[in-house]
Amino acid sequence: MLIGQAWAGGITSLWGEGWLYLSVVIPFVITFVVLGEYFQNRDGLSNKKLWLTSLISAFFVTLYSGTIGAIFGETIVRGGMETINIGGTLIWGTIYAFVLLPLTTPFARLIIGVFYKLIQE
């Protein structure tokens, strides 16, 4: 958020927009509930399997938060859908989900790796 604000002309707040947090909570909860169940039933997952799981999870979270989550969050924060470009949000959210995979996958691998170790203990 800080990098985006700096590129846009200045840092106005250390916190993100309210809709951003609302759009990310739901896919994170769903992803980690599913991963928790998956990891409980598996012993000794390979590094390749963890990377693949991270790729799929990162794509799901980014896709949902950039499309449906953004629309949902903006609707809650703004009180209506009159000012939301739904078509553009769905198209560009999907494009961003694919384009950002090289950045989101390693971050997801780090978080999921820690989560996997916690579940295995």
Side-chain angles (χ1 to χ4, degrees), residues 27-54:
F28 260 97
V29 169
I30 293 170
T31 300
F32 280 91
V33 165
V34 170
L35 287 176
E37 180 64 30
Y38 178 72
F39 291 156
Q40 282 289 356
N41 298 323
R42 304 277 189 258
D43 286 330
L45 283 174
S46 67
N47 192 35
K48 181 180 176 182
K49 192 72 130 180
L50 285 172
W51 274 104
L52 181 60
T53 303
S54 300

mmCIF file of all heavy atoms in Angstrom, residues 27-54:
data_model
loop_
_atom_site.group_PDB
_atom_site.id
_atom_site.type_symbol
_atom_site.label_atom_id
_atom_site.label_comp_id
_atom_site.label_asym_id
_atom_site.label_seq_id
_atom_site.Cartn_x
_atom_site.Cartn_y
_atom_site.Cartn_z
ATOM 1 N N PRO A 27 -11.299 -14.704 1.307
ATOM 2 C CA PRO A 27 -10.516 -15.744 0.634
ATOM 3 C C PRO A 27 -9.409 -16.334 1.520
ATOM 4 O O PRO A 27 -9.097 -17.518 1.401
ATOM 5 C CB PRO A 27 -9.939 -15.047 -0.597
ATOM 6 C CG PRO A 27 -10.013 -13.603 -0.301
ATOM 7 C CD PRO A 27 -11.186 -13.421 0.608
ATOM 8 N N PHE A 28 -8.828 -15.523 2.414
ATOM 9 C CA PHE A 28 -7.812 -16.046 3.326
ATOM 10 C C PHE A 28 -8.414 -17.079 4.264
ATOM 11 O O PHE A 28 -7.837 -18.145 4.484
ATOM 12 C CB PHE A 28 -7.163 -14.924 4.142
ATOM 13 C CG PHE A 28 -5.840 -14.497 3.613
ATOM 14 C CD1 PHE A 28 -5.745 -13.395 2.779
ATOM 15 C CD2 PHE A 28 -4.684 -15.173 3.942
ATOM 16 C CE1 PHE A 28 -4.535 -12.981 2.282
ATOM 17 C CE2 PHE A 28 -3.456 -14.775 3.445
ATOM 18 C CZ PHE A 28 -3.377 -13.677 2.609
ATOM 19 N N VAL A 29 -9.560 -16.788 4.819
ATOM 20 C CA VAL A 29 -10.209 -17.727 5.742
ATOM 21 C C VAL A 29 -10.548 -19.028 5.016
ATOM 22 O O VAL A 29 -10.238 -20.123 5.510
ATOM 23 C CB VAL A 29 -11.470 -17.092 6.375
ATOM 24 C CG1 VAL A 29 -12.293 -18.128 7.106
ATOM 25 C CG2 VAL A 29 -11.073 -15.966 7.316
ATOM 26 N N ILE A 30 -11.164 -18.930 3.857
ATOM 27 C CA ILE A 30 -11.523 -20.129 3.096
ATOM 28 C C ILE A 30 -10.274 -20.929 2.726
ATOM 29 O O ILE A 30 -10.238 -22.160 2.896
ATOM 30 C CB ILE A 30 -12.322 -19.749 1.831
ATOM 31 C CG1 ILE A 30 -13.682 -19.182 2.219
ATOM 32 C CG2 ILE A 30 -12.487 -20.950 0.911
ATOM 33 C CD1 ILE A 30 -14.442 -18.569 1.060
ATOM 34 N N THR A 31 -9.252 -20.259 2.241
ATOM 35 C CA THR A 31 -8.020 -20.937 1.829
ATOM 36 C C THR A 31 -7.376 -21.676 2.983
ATOM 37 O O THR A 31 -6.998 -22.845 2.856
ATOM 38 C CB THR A 31 -7.027 -19.923 1.224
ATOM 39 O OG1 THR A 31 -7.633 -19.316 0.079
ATOM 40 C CG2 THR A 31 -5.736 -20.591 0.826
ATOM 41 N N PHE A 32 -7.246 -21.017 4.131
ATOM 42 C CA PHE A 32 -6.540 -21.656 5.232
ATOM 43 C C PHE A 32 -7.374 -22.717 5.938
ATOM 44 O O PHE A 32 -6.818 -23.646 6.512
ATOM 45 C CB PHE A 32 -5.979 -20.611 6.190
ATOM 46 C CG PHE A 32 -4.705 -20.017 5.667
ATOM 47 C CD1 PHE A 32 -4.724 -18.875 4.881
ATOM 48 C CD2 PHE A 32 -3.493 -20.627 5.908
ATOM 49 C CE1 PHE A 32 -3.559 -18.350 4.366
ATOM 50 C CE2 PHE A 32 -2.315 -20.121 5.402
ATOM 51 C CZ PHE A 32 -2.350 -18.979 4.623
ATOM 52 N N VAL A 33 -8.683 -22.644 5.867
ATOM 53 C CA VAL A 33 -9.523 -23.740 6.369
ATOM 54 C C VAL A 33 -9.317 -24.978 5.496
ATOM 55 O O VAL A 33 -9.119 -26.092 5.994
ATOM 56 C CB VAL A 33 -11.010 -23.329 6.417
ATOM 57 C CG1 VAL A 33 -11.912 -24.534 6.585
ATOM 58 C CG2 VAL A 33 -11.245 -22.337 7.542
ATOM 59 N N VAL A 34 -9.353 -24.792 4.179
ATOM 60 C CA VAL A 34 -9.142 -25.908 3.256
ATOM 61 C C VAL A 34 -7.725 -26.471 3.406
ATOM 62 O O VAL A 34 -7.531 -27.692 3.456
ATOM 63 C CB VAL A 34 -9.420 -25.466 1.796
ATOM 64 C CG1 VAL A 34 -8.981 -26.527 0.799
ATOM 65 C CG2 VAL A 34 -10.886 -25.139 1.618
ATOM 66 N N LEU A 35 -6.719 -25.588 3.489
ATOM 67 C CA LEU A 35 -5.340 -26.049 3.646
ATOM 68 C C LEU A 35 -5.140 -26.777 4.969
ATOM 69 O O LEU A 35 -4.405 -27.769 5.028
ATOM 70 C CB LEU A 35 -4.363 -24.871 3.544
ATOM 71 C CG LEU A 35 -4.155 -24.279 2.165
ATOM 72 C CD1 LEU A 35 -3.236 -23.075 2.238
ATOM 73 C CD2 LEU A 35 -3.612 -25.307 1.198
ATOM 74 N N GLY A 36 -5.763 -26.294 6.020
ATOM 75 C CA GLY A 36 -5.648 -26.965 7.319
ATOM 76 C C GLY A 36 -6.179 -28.378 7.259
ATOM 77 O O GLY A 36 -5.555 -29.320 7.776
ATOM 78 N N GLU A 37 -7.316 -28.561 6.618
ATOM 79 C CA GLU A 37 -7.883 -29.906 6.457
ATOM 80 C C GLU A 37 -6.977 -30.771 5.584
ATOM 81 O O GLU A 37 -6.739 -31.940 5.872
ATOM 82 C CB GLU A 37 -9.283 -29.803 5.852
ATOM 83 C CG GLU A 37 -9.964 -31.125 5.649
ATOM 84 C CD GLU A 37 -10.236 -31.876 6.943
ATOM 85 O OE1 GLU A 37 -10.428 -31.225 7.990
ATOM 86 O OE2 GLU A 37 -10.246 -33.123 6.903
ATOM 87 N N TYR A 38 -6.465 -30.188 4.506
ATOM 88 C CA TYR A 38 -5.582 -30.924 3.594
ATOM 89 C C TYR A 38 -4.291 -31.343 4.298
ATOM 90 O O TYR A 38 -3.851 -32.483 4.175
ATOM 91 C CB TYR A 38 -5.278 -30.045 2.382
ATOM 92 C CG TYR A 38 -4.339 -30.658 1.377
ATOM 93 C CD1 TYR A 38 -4.754 -31.706 0.567
ATOM 94 C CD2 TYR A 38 -3.048 -30.178 1.234
ATOM 95 C CE1 TYR A 38 -3.897 -32.269 -0.364
ATOM 96 C CE2 TYR A 38 -2.183 -30.730 0.306
ATOM 97 C CZ TYR A 38 -2.611 -31.773 -0.486
ATOM 98 O OH TYR A 38 -1.751 -32.327 -1.404
ATOM 99 N N PHE A 39 -3.688 -30.439 5.050
ATOM 100 C CA PHE A 39 -2.428 -30.737 5.733
ATOM 101 C C PHE A 39 -2.610 -31.725 6.879
ATOM 102 O O PHE A 39 -1.686 -32.478 7.196
ATOM 103 C CB PHE A 39 -1.782 -29.462 6.260
ATOM 104 C CG PHE A 39 -1.264 -28.544 5.179
ATOM 105 C CD1 PHE A 39 -1.110 -27.187 5.422
ATOM 106 C CD2 PHE A 39 -0.942 -29.011 3.916
ATOM 107 C CE1 PHE A 39 -0.638 -26.335 4.452
ATOM 108 C CE2 PHE A 39 -0.472 -28.169 2.928
ATOM 109 C CZ PHE A 39 -0.311 -26.828 3.195
ATOM 110 N N GLN A 40 -3.757 -31.740 7.513
ATOM 111 C CA GLN A 40 -4.014 -32.690 8.601
ATOM 112 C C GLN A 40 -3.964 -34.123 8.099
ATOM 113 O O GLN A 40 -3.587 -35.032 8.826
ATOM 114 C CB GLN A 40 -5.383 -32.430 9.252
ATOM 115 C CG GLN A 40 -5.417 -31.282 10.189
ATOM 116 C CD GLN A 40 -4.660 -31.560 11.493
ATOM 117 O OE1 GLN A 40 -4.150 -32.631 11.753
ATOM 118 N NE2 GLN A 40 -4.598 -30.538 12.317
ATOM 119 N N ASN A 41 -4.376 -34.331 6.859
ATOM 120 C CA ASN A 41 -4.452 -35.677 6.304
ATOM 121 C C ASN A 41 -3.215 -36.084 5.510
ATOM 122 O O ASN A 41 -3.208 -37.140 4.897
ATOM 123 C CB ASN A 41 -5.692 -35.804 5.410
ATOM 124 C CG ASN A 41 -6.967 -35.594 6.187
ATOM 125 O OD1 ASN A 41 -7.074 -36.004 7.332
ATOM 126 N ND2 ASN A 41 -7.939 -34.937 5.557
ATOM 127 N N ARG A 42 -2.192 -35.265 5.485
ATOM 128 C CA ARG A 42 -0.979 -35.553 4.715
ATOM 129 C C ARG A 42 0.237 -35.523 5.630
ATOM 130 O O ARG A 42 0.379 -34.643 6.473
ATOM 131 C CB ARG A 42 -0.769 -34.514 3.614
ATOM 132 C CG ARG A 42 -1.910 -34.345 2.666
ATOM 133 C CD ARG A 42 -1.859 -35.398 1.578
ATOM 134 N NE ARG A 42 -2.831 -35.122 0.558
ATOM 135 C CZ ARG A 42 -3.993 -35.741 0.446
ATOM 136 N NH1 ARG A 42 -4.339 -36.645 1.318
ATOM 137 N NH2 ARG A 42 -4.813 -35.461 -0.530
ATOM 138 N N ASP A 43 1.123 -36.458 5.400
ATOM 139 C CA ASP A 43 2.412 -36.461 6.099
ATOM 140 C C ASP A 43 3.521 -36.319 5.068
ATOM 141 O O ASP A 43 3.524 -37.001 4.044
ATOM 142 C CB ASP A 43 2.615 -37.765 6.879
ATOM 143 C CG ASP A 43 1.754 -37.828 8.124
ATOM 144 O OD1 ASP A 43 1.469 -36.755 8.681
ATOM 145 O OD2 ASP A 43 1.378 -38.942 8.517
ATOM 146 N N GLY A 44 4.447 -35.425 5.342
ATOM 147 C CA GLY A 44 5.622 -35.277 4.497
ATOM 148 C C GLY A 44 5.325 -34.816 3.080
ATOM 149 O O GLY A 44 5.682 -35.487 2.126
ATOM 150 N N LEU A 45 4.708 -33.682 2.920
ATOM 151 C CA LEU A 45 4.476 -33.128 1.591
ATOM 152 C C LEU A 45 5.801 -32.688 0.985
ATOM 153 O O LEU A 45 6.664 -32.124 1.661
ATOM 154 C CB LEU A 45 3.540 -31.923 1.664
ATOM 155 C CG LEU A 45 2.063 -32.219 1.855
ATOM 156 C CD1 LEU A 45 1.300 -30.919 2.046
ATOM 157 C CD2 LEU A 45 1.505 -32.978 0.695
ATOM 158 N N SER A 46 5.949 -32.918 -0.302
ATOM 159 C CA SER A 46 7.174 -32.519 -0.988
ATOM 160 C C SER A 46 7.198 -31.000 -1.193
ATOM 161 O O SER A 46 6.162 -30.328 -1.147
ATOM 162 C CB SER A 46 7.272 -33.226 -2.337
ATOM 163 O OG SER A 46 6.261 -32.761 -3.206
ATOM 164 N N ASN A 47 8.387 -30.503 -1.450
ATOM 165 C CA ASN A 47 8.562 -29.076 -1.720
ATOM 166 C C ASN A 47 7.790 -28.673 -2.975
ATOM 167 O O ASN A 47 7.179 -27.603 -3.028
ATOM 168 C CB ASN A 47 10.049 -28.758 -1.868
ATOM 169 C CG ASN A 47 10.318 -27.274 -1.848
ATOM 170 O OD1 ASN A 47 9.655 -26.517 -1.149
ATOM 171 N ND2 ASN A 47 11.299 -26.862 -2.627
ATOM 172 N N LYS A 48 7.798 -29.559 -3.975
ATOM 173 C CA LYS A 48 7.069 -29.294 -5.212
ATOM 174 C C LYS A 48 5.573 -29.157 -4.940
ATOM 175 O O LYS A 48 4.909 -28.266 -5.479
ATOM 176 C CB LYS A 48 7.324 -30.424 -6.206
ATOM 177 C CG LYS A 48 6.636 -30.248 -7.526
ATOM 178 C CD LYS A 48 6.944 -31.415 -8.455
ATOM 179 C CE LYS A 48 6.179 -31.290 -9.743
ATOM 180 N NZ LYS A 48 6.430 -32.430 -10.636
ATOM 181 N N LYS A 49 5.034 -30.020 -4.107
ATOM 182 C CA LYS A 49 3.604 -29.987 -3.772
ATOM 183 C C LYS A 49 3.271 -28.714 -2.996
ATOM 184 O O LYS A 49 2.214 -28.111 -3.221
ATOM 185 C CB LYS A 49 3.253 -31.221 -2.947
ATOM 186 C CG LYS A 49 1.791 -31.434 -2.785
ATOM 187 C CD LYS A 49 1.158 -31.904 -4.055
ATOM 188 C CE LYS A 49 0.330 -33.125 -3.768
ATOM 189 N NZ LYS A 49 -0.319 -33.631 -4.940
ATOM 190 N N LEU A 50 4.163 -28.285 -2.102
ATOM 191 C CA LEU A 50 3.925 -27.036 -1.360
ATOM 192 C C LEU A 50 3.962 -25.823 -2.290
ATOM 193 O O LEU A 50 3.183 -24.886 -2.125
ATOM 194 C CB LEU A 50 4.930 -26.885 -0.223
ATOM 195 C CG LEU A 50 4.670 -27.776 0.990
ATOM 196 C CD1 LEU A 50 5.838 -27.689 1.971
ATOM 197 C CD2 LEU A 50 3.383 -27.403 1.674
ATOM 198 N N TRP A 51 4.857 -25.821 -3.270
ATOM 199 C CA TRP A 51 4.910 -24.721 -4.225
ATOM 200 C C TRP A 51 3.654 -24.685 -5.094
ATOM 201 O O TRP A 51 3.116 -23.616 -5.373
ATOM 202 C CB TRP A 51 6.158 -24.804 -5.109
ATOM 203 C CG TRP A 51 7.343 -24.160 -4.479
ATOM 204 C CD1 TRP A 51 8.393 -24.789 -3.889
ATOM 205 C CD2 TRP A 51 7.604 -22.758 -4.358
ATOM 206 N NE1 TRP A 51 9.283 -23.862 -3.402
ATOM 207 C CE2 TRP A 51 8.829 -22.610 -3.684
ATOM 208 C CE3 TRP A 51 6.922 -21.614 -4.748
ATOM 209 C CZ2 TRP A 51 9.379 -21.369 -3.400
ATOM 210 C CZ3 TRP A 51 7.470 -20.373 -4.464
ATOM 211 C CH2 TRP A 51 8.679 -20.267 -3.803
ATOM 212 N N LEU A 52 3.194 -25.858 -5.523
ATOM 213 C CA LEU A 52 1.979 -25.919 -6.326
ATOM 214 C C LEU A 52 0.771 -25.450 -5.510
ATOM 215 O O LEU A 52 -0.064 -24.684 -6.004
ATOM 216 C CB LEU A 52 1.746 -27.336 -6.845
ATOM 217 C CG LEU A 52 0.507 -27.532 -7.717
ATOM 218 C CD1 LEU A 52 0.574 -26.653 -8.968
ATOM 219 C CD2 LEU A 52 0.356 -28.990 -8.088
ATOM 220 N N THR A 53 0.706 -25.879 -4.262
ATOM 221 C CA THR A 53 -0.367 -25.434 -3.367
ATOM 222 C C THR A 53 -0.306 -23.924 -3.168
ATOM 223 O O THR A 53 -1.334 -23.249 -3.161
ATOM 224 C CB THR A 53 -0.258 -26.156 -2.011
ATOM 225 O OG1 THR A 53 -0.293 -27.562 -2.240
ATOM 226 C CG2 THR A 53 -1.374 -25.762 -1.078
ATOM 227 N N SER A 54 0.887 -23.387 -3.038
ATOM 228 C CA SER A 54 1.065 -21.944 -2.878
ATOM 229 C C SER A 54 0.632 -21.184 -4.126
ATOM 230 O O SER A 54 0.000 -20.133 -4.027
ATOM 231 C CB SER A 54 2.525 -21.619 -2.562
ATOM 232 O OG SER A 54 2.928 -22.246 -1.379
#
